[in-house]
Amino acid sequence: MIGLSGLCVRGGRFVVGPVDLQLAAGDYCGLVGPSGAGKTLLLQAVAGVRSPMAGQVLIDGQDLTNTPPEKRGVGLVFQDGLLFPHLSVAGNIGYGLRRRDAASLDGLVRDLGVEDLMKRSPGSLSGGERQRVALARALAPGPRVLLLDEPLSAVDGEAREELRDMLQRATRERGVTVLHVTHDVAEVFSLADTCAVLVDGGLRQVGPPSDVLRRPVDEDVARLFGARNVLRATRQPDGDGRTVLLAGGSPLRVVQRVDAAEVLLVVRPEDVTLALPAGVASVRAVAGAGGVGVADGAMGGASEPNILVGRVERVVSHGGHSLVRVMVPPAIDVSVSSREVASLSLEPGTDVELRFGAQMVWVLPAQG
């Protein structure tokens, strides 16, 4: 339904592209990236409000690269909604529609929960209500494609969750293809079938969100998706290609075969189990002088855990959970429930044991 071929867009001195992206009809794509990556520039080119330097924009197989925005058959919603202040909610939603089309909007109005707002003015609405009206206005003409630029960023708490649910239901029921710009990875997981990652103006990775989370193509993508532990390691000499050495000399088993001399290891904080090391002596005996090691046995299977022993450097509370930084070396962040922090009396200086399976380690080429 949406096809971008070699698309390049300029904003001042910054250039996005070339971008190649294919979205099927009814697909919901989250275009995610850090601030300044060029996400909005790309969306503007698809909408037709910014002319590309090169490449093509195809919608439903038609080349619309040079077609005016109003003739592209797309709906567009910005972060702040941009409602017409002189019109009521009903006037905004029905703007530009023929009378008989406006009369058939009951289902859309109900799906987005704005039926009780129709007589109100935009100035009397909350942030969440304004965005629901903006979405209703964008979907009212029955567009084939909906383009969203950070539509949930100005809405907080339960209103954000409610709007997210309404957005998903309204677009799926109507079979609309969606390109949704966001910097919030959580939105991608809750809404999108496909994730496209834009970094420094380049499209780094496209795929299901779970694949991008578990198999990032590089360190930038890994960190964007919350992988705080990106560890430099070297291949163990004369091994089977599945043992690497951390910076402090600790060996780790991995599932992917390592052929390069240096690699990066991605270990997500939530994939590491932390405990007080009741068997510290035996673990250290396996490790040798380094004080850290691999669990007993050949570690031939992916289910056998790596075991490391380290010392807590800091505990940072995030409400229901805490991030515990453990110096092995290197430093490894672990996500731990606040209840577990209390029960284990975790504080700087506490000796702990870390466990994670070889399958929880994702290997990337070393950079720089």
Side-chain angles (χ1 to χ4, degrees):
M1 170 60 77
I2 299 179
L4 308 182
S5 178
L7 193 66
C8 295
V9 192
R10 180 185 294 277
R13 296 183 178 180
F14 186 77
V15 176
V16 178
V19 171
D20 294 287
L21 179 65
Q22 300 293 324
L23 301 179
D27 197 2
Y28 198 120
C29 177
L31 180 62
V32 65
S35 297
K39 303 182 297 295
T40 296
L41 286 175
L42 187 62
L43 194 77
Q44 289 173 345
V46 178
V49 298
R50 184 179 292 269
S51 298
M53 299 167 53
Q56 291 180 302
V57 176
L58 293 93
I59 296 180
D60 204 15
Q62 295 179 296
D63 185 351
L64 302 183
T65 309
N66 299 312
T67 302
E70 66 274 13
K71 295 184 178 180
R72 294 196 177 200
V74 303
L76 181 60
V77 177
F78 295 101
Q79 178 177 336
D80 54 7
L82 294 179
L83 300 179
F84 300 122
H86 63 288
L87 296 178
S88 67
V89 167
N92 268 276
I93 295 174
Y95 183 80
L97 297 181
R98 292 172 297 184
R99 185 178 298 275
R100 70 170 182 269
D101 293 331
S104 64
L105 295 178
D106 291 349
L108 177 63
V109 167
R110 184 174 55 254
D111 286 347
L112 290 173
V114 297
E115 60 266 49
D116 294 332
L117 308 177
M118 299 297 279
K119 295 182 180 180
R120 291 173 58 181
S121 65
S124 69
L125 304 178
S126 68
E129 290 170 340
R130 284 195 298 272
Q131 285 304 86
R132 279 188 274 155
V133 174
L135 285 167
R137 183 179 64 184
L139 288 169
R144 299 171 291 177
V145 170
L146 181 63
L147 306 177
L148 306 174
D149 191 5
E150 302 273 11
L152 307 180
S153 62
V155 185
D156 296 322
E158 292 184 11
R160 184 187 183 102
E161 295 178 7
E162 184 180 16
L163 180 57
R164 190 168 57 199
D165 292 342
M166 290 177 174
L167 172 60
Q168 185 177 57
R169 181 171 60 251
T171 54
R172 291 199 186 283
E173 288 182 355
R174 289 161 179 81
V176 180
T177 305
V178 182
L179 184 59
H180 179 149
V181 164
T182 181
H183 65 275
D184 187 347
V185 171
E187 285 182 19
V188 175
F189 279 93
S190 62
L191 288 167
D193 311 300
T194 301
C195 174
V197 184
L198 196 70
V199 179
D200 294 332
L203 196 59
R204 295 284 183 89
Q205 188 168 358
V206 179
S210 58
D211 285 357
V212 178
L213 177 82
R214 287 294 171 188
R215 291 179 282 276
V217 297
D218 59 30
E219 181 177 358
D220 290 334
V221 175
R223 292 195 181 280
L224 182 65
F225 275 70
R228 299 175 62 93
N229 305 311
V230 182
L231 314 173
R232 192 166 292 273
T234 57
R235 185 186 65 232
Q236 185 181 58
D238 304 322
D240 63 358
R242 291 186 172 83
T243 300
V244 296
L245 303 176
L246 294 176
S250 309
L252 282 183
R253 288 292 281 179
V254 299
V255 174
Q256 298 156 269
R257 182 176 179 84
V258 175
D259 295 317
E262 293 188 5
V263 294
L264 296 177
L265 309 179
V266 179
V267 182
R268 299 190 60 82
E270 64 270 24
D271 291 337
V272 182
T273 300
L274 183 150
L276 296 180
V280 169
S282 63
V283 174
R284 286 179 174 166
V286 173
V292 188
V294 180
D296 295 330
M299 290 294 294
S303 62
E304 297 180 69
N306 292 301
I307 300 178
L308 305 176
V309 172
R311 181 163 292 172
V312 174
E313 282 197 333
R314 72 183 189 194
V315 180
V316 180
S317 176
H318 293 269
H321 78 282
S322 296
L323 272 177
V324 179
R325 176 157 294 178
V326 178
M327 177 54 69
V328 173
I332 297 177
D333 286 343
V334 185
S335 182
V336 181
S337 71
S338 297
R339 178 178 297 179
E340 190 174 2
V341 169
S343 66
L344 298 178
S345 300
L346 295 177
E347 60 184 18
T350 305
D351 288 329
V352 293
E353 180 179 282
L354 307 181
R355 287 177 175 253
F356 49 94
Q359 77 277 15
M360 296 303 180
V361 183
W362 180 247
V363 181
L364 292 172
Q367 299 173 327

